[in-house]
Amino acid sequence: MWSGQPHPDEGHPPPLETVPVSWKGCRESPRGLAENPVGEEAQGEESPTAAQLDVLRLRSSSMEIREKGSEFLKEELHKAQKELQLKDEECERLSKVREQLEQELEELTASLFEEAHRMVREANMKQAASEKQLKEARGKIDMLQAEVTALKTLVLTSTPASPNRELHPQLLSPTKAGPRKGHLRHKSTSSALCPAMCPTAGHPLTPDKEGKEVDTTLFAEFQAWRESPTLDKTCPFLERVYREDVGPCLDFTMQELSALVRAAVEDNTLTIEPVASQTLPAVKVAAVECSSTNTCALSGLARACRHRIRLGDSESHYYISPSSRARITAVCNFFTYIRYIQQGLVRQEVEPMFWEITRLRKEMSLAKLGFFPQEA
């Protein structure tokens, strides 16, 4: 607030009436004093008015400066308050964001720990199950290896020349094998299909007193085949056997059925079933009978048929005579032995294997010529 009277200590000069004037030391000529008496009087009248105007001007300008300064400070204060309010709001918002992030981080950490524990638990369960399965698999492998070893031992002691009677119960005598009822079934892979067709099983066709000499051509072909055993008919060894032994031995009068029998023997899908004579009149089988028990389906001759064959999974049966059966079993014995060799089940030198092959070829030739042992 402004007061009506100026304060003496406000920095304004005092009025002219209060300013003392010292005339001492003024050394002006009387002429000068005489020349300016009128001017001093006029100046003395104007000086108080000009001084008052200066004071008023200073007062008004000072008030304006103060008012403008006050307004400027108020505006700056208002701006500062607004900025401070915005800063407070920003701080509050950031604080809420931080709290939310901390909460989410805690939840995420908890969920991660929970998921990690669950994964570890599942991994432990899977590991335990895998170890259990591995242990069981190893046990099964050991058991299978033992069974394979035992089977190899039996197979190695069972060849067409000397069949193992424990491996082939059908080779036992009737008193040891027990009574038979119905049909006895066995595949064509048997090393011997019945006692009557195995000369080395106690029914030799001729005494083995003849001399032997290795045919170098046949032995060379067998050696080449032995290096890489295969059932491919185009190799020289099997091509000769097919041409000289297998083909003629399975060449029956009924050509169509002969071709089917040959294919079944090669594919190892032929089944020969003995027919019990005492049950023939009374048994009514569900399978389709394609021939009678008094006519051979392969030769077409009237013969007493004590066996019948089945090709693959077919339900059709064909009755065959003892001669036809002998020819089929001779070929089956040959294929069984070469399969043993191919599978690595025969652990012999090359020459003994060659003589066994030669003996089996001899059996096929004899069966083709009509030689077969009489059944008991």
PDB file of all heavy atoms in Angstrom, residues 117-128:
ATOM      1  N   HIS A 117       8.309 -76.905 -10.134  1.00  0.00           N
ATOM      2  CA  HIS A 117       8.115 -78.070  -9.259  1.00  0.00           C
ATOM      3  C   HIS A 117       7.280 -79.144  -9.954  1.00  0.00           C
ATOM      4  O   HIS A 117       7.574 -80.351  -9.843  1.00  0.00           O
ATOM      5  CB  HIS A 117       7.450 -77.635  -7.957  1.00  0.00           C
ATOM      6  CG  HIS A 117       8.373 -76.891  -7.029  1.00  0.00           C
ATOM      7  ND1 HIS A 117       9.565 -77.407  -6.593  1.00  0.00           N
ATOM      8  CD2 HIS A 117       8.287 -75.651  -6.478  1.00  0.00           C
ATOM      9  CE1 HIS A 117      10.174 -76.537  -5.802  1.00  0.00           C
ATOM     10  NE2 HIS A 117       9.413 -75.450  -5.722  1.00  0.00           N
ATOM     11  N   ARG A 118       6.256 -78.710 -10.687  1.00  0.00           N
ATOM     12  CA  ARG A 118       5.422 -79.687 -11.389  1.00  0.00           C
ATOM     13  C   ARG A 118       6.224 -80.409 -12.473  1.00  0.00           C
ATOM     14  O   ARG A 118       6.125 -81.635 -12.624  1.00  0.00           O
ATOM     15  CB  ARG A 118       4.222 -78.977 -12.016  1.00  0.00           C
ATOM     16  CG  ARG A 118       3.226 -79.922 -12.677  1.00  0.00           C
ATOM     17  CD  ARG A 118       2.100 -79.129 -13.337  1.00  0.00           C
ATOM     18  NE  ARG A 118       2.602 -78.294 -14.415  1.00  0.00           N
ATOM     19  CZ  ARG A 118       2.878 -78.752 -15.643  1.00  0.00           C
ATOM     20  NH1 ARG A 118       2.705 -80.039 -15.941  1.00  0.00           N
ATOM     21  NH2 ARG A 118       3.319 -77.923 -16.577  1.00  0.00           N
ATOM     22  N   MET A 119       7.023 -79.642 -13.229  1.00  0.00           N
ATOM     23  CA  MET A 119       7.829 -80.270 -14.276  1.00  0.00           C
ATOM     24  C   MET A 119       8.854 -81.225 -13.684  1.00  0.00           C
ATOM     25  O   MET A 119       9.085 -82.326 -14.222  1.00  0.00           O
ATOM     26  CB  MET A 119       8.531 -79.181 -15.096  1.00  0.00           C
ATOM     27  CG  MET A 119       7.574 -78.318 -15.918  1.00  0.00           C
ATOM     28  SD  MET A 119       8.413 -76.964 -16.761  1.00  0.00           S
ATOM     29  CE  MET A 119       9.434 -77.876 -17.909  1.00  0.00           C
ATOM     30  N   VAL A 120       9.464 -80.836 -12.577  1.00  0.00           N
ATOM     31  CA  VAL A 120      10.431 -81.735 -11.934  1.00  0.00           C
ATOM     32  C   VAL A 120       9.743 -82.998 -11.448  1.00  0.00           C
ATOM     33  O   VAL A 120      10.267 -84.119 -11.601  1.00  0.00           O
ATOM     34  CB  VAL A 120      11.137 -80.992 -10.781  1.00  0.00           C
ATOM     35  CG1 VAL A 120      11.957 -81.965  -9.950  1.00  0.00           C
ATOM     36  CG2 VAL A 120      12.018 -79.887 -11.324  1.00  0.00           C
ATOM     37  N   ARG A 121       8.551 -82.828 -10.880  1.00  0.00           N
ATOM     38  CA  ARG A 121       7.814 -83.991 -10.390  1.00  0.00           C
ATOM     39  C   ARG A 121       7.434 -84.924 -11.543  1.00  0.00           C
ATOM     40  O   ARG A 121       7.601 -86.145 -11.450  1.00  0.00           O
ATOM     41  CB  ARG A 121       6.568 -83.510  -9.642  1.00  0.00           C
ATOM     42  CG  ARG A 121       5.776 -84.634  -9.006  1.00  0.00           C
ATOM     43  CD  ARG A 121       4.706 -84.090  -8.079  1.00  0.00           C
ATOM     44  NE  ARG A 121       3.766 -83.208  -8.769  1.00  0.00           N
ATOM     45  CZ  ARG A 121       3.748 -81.896  -8.637  1.00  0.00           C
ATOM     46  NH1 ARG A 121       4.632 -81.286  -7.860  1.00  0.00           N
ATOM     47  NH2 ARG A 121       2.867 -81.155  -9.277  1.00  0.00           N
ATOM     48  N   GLU A 122       6.947 -84.337 -12.654  1.00  0.00           N
ATOM     49  CA  GLU A 122       6.605 -85.168 -13.814  1.00  0.00           C
ATOM     50  C   GLU A 122       7.845 -85.841 -14.401  1.00  0.00           C
ATOM     51  O   GLU A 122       7.797 -87.012 -14.803  1.00  0.00           O
ATOM     52  CB  GLU A 122       5.921 -84.308 -14.875  1.00  0.00           C
ATOM     53  CG  GLU A 122       4.539 -83.828 -14.481  1.00  0.00           C
ATOM     54  CD  GLU A 122       3.900 -82.972 -15.562  1.00  0.00           C
ATOM     55  OE1 GLU A 122       4.584 -82.706 -16.578  1.00  0.00           O
ATOM     56  OE2 GLU A 122       2.724 -82.586 -15.403  1.00  0.00           O
ATOM     57  N   ALA A 123       8.962 -85.090 -14.452  1.00  0.00           N
ATOM     58  CA  ALA A 123      10.199 -85.685 -14.980  1.00  0.00           C
ATOM     59  C   ALA A 123      10.662 -86.851 -14.109  1.00  0.00           C
ATOM     60  O   ALA A 123      11.096 -87.901 -14.625  1.00  0.00           O
ATOM     61  CB  ALA A 123      11.281 -84.619 -15.065  1.00  0.00           C
ATOM     62  N   ASN A 124      10.532 -86.690 -12.800  1.00  0.00           N
ATOM     63  CA  ASN A 124      10.922 -87.795 -11.903  1.00  0.00           C
ATOM     64  C   ASN A 124      10.015 -89.004 -12.095  1.00  0.00           C
ATOM     65  O   ASN A 124      10.489 -90.151 -12.109  1.00  0.00           O
ATOM     66  CB  ASN A 124      10.875 -87.319 -10.458  1.00  0.00           C
ATOM     67  CG  ASN A 124      11.955 -86.295 -10.152  1.00  0.00           C
ATOM     68  OD1 ASN A 124      12.997 -86.278 -10.803  1.00  0.00           O
ATOM     69  ND2 ASN A 124      11.717 -85.438  -9.171  1.00  0.00           N
ATOM     70  N   MET A 125       8.716 -88.742 -12.273  1.00  0.00           N
ATOM     71  CA  MET A 125       7.789 -89.854 -12.497  1.00  0.00           C
ATOM     72  C   MET A 125       8.096 -90.558 -13.817  1.00  0.00           C
ATOM     73  O   MET A 125       8.116 -91.791 -13.892  1.00  0.00           O
ATOM     74  CB  MET A 125       6.348 -89.339 -12.480  1.00  0.00           C
ATOM     75  CG  MET A 125       5.897 -88.819 -11.128  1.00  0.00           C
ATOM     76  SD  MET A 125       4.247 -88.076 -11.176  1.00  0.00           S
ATOM     77  CE  MET A 125       3.269 -89.489 -11.672  1.00  0.00           C
ATOM     78  N   LYS A 126       8.341 -89.754 -14.879  1.00  0.00           N
ATOM     79  CA  LYS A 126       8.671 -90.359 -16.169  1.00  0.00           C
ATOM     80  C   LYS A 126       9.983 -91.128 -16.108  1.00  0.00           C
ATOM     81  O   LYS A 126      10.114 -92.208 -16.693  1.00  0.00           O
ATOM     82  CB  LYS A 126       8.751 -89.273 -17.235  1.00  0.00           C
ATOM     83  CG  LYS A 126       7.411 -88.668 -17.608  1.00  0.00           C
ATOM     84  CD  LYS A 126       7.566 -87.615 -18.693  1.00  0.00           C
ATOM     85  CE  LYS A 126       6.210 -87.025 -19.081  1.00  0.00           C
ATOM     86  NZ  LYS A 126       6.353 -85.980 -20.130  1.00  0.00           N
ATOM     87  N   GLN A 127      10.951 -90.572 -15.394  1.00  0.00           N
ATOM     88  CA  GLN A 127      12.229 -91.261 -15.271  1.00  0.00           C
ATOM     89  C   GLN A 127      12.057 -92.585 -14.536  1.00  0.00           C
ATOM     90  O   GLN A 127      12.632 -93.611 -14.934  1.00  0.00           O
ATOM     91  CB  GLN A 127      13.224 -90.374 -14.533  1.00  0.00           C
ATOM     92  CG  GLN A 127      14.618 -90.987 -14.406  1.00  0.00           C
ATOM     93  CD  GLN A 127      15.576 -90.072 -13.682  1.00  0.00           C
ATOM     94  OE1 GLN A 127      15.183 -88.995 -13.253  1.00  0.00           O
ATOM     95  NE2 GLN A 127      16.813 -90.495 -13.548  1.00  0.00           N
ATOM     96  N   ALA A 128      11.255 -92.562 -13.477  1.00  0.00           N
ATOM     97  CA  ALA A 128      11.020 -93.808 -12.743  1.00  0.00           C
ATOM     98  C   ALA A 128      10.314 -94.832 -13.627  1.00  0.00           C
ATOM     99  O   ALA A 128      10.679 -96.020 -13.641  1.00  0.00           O
ATOM    100  CB  ALA A 128      10.192 -93.521 -11.489  1.00  0.00           C
TER     101      ALA A 128
END
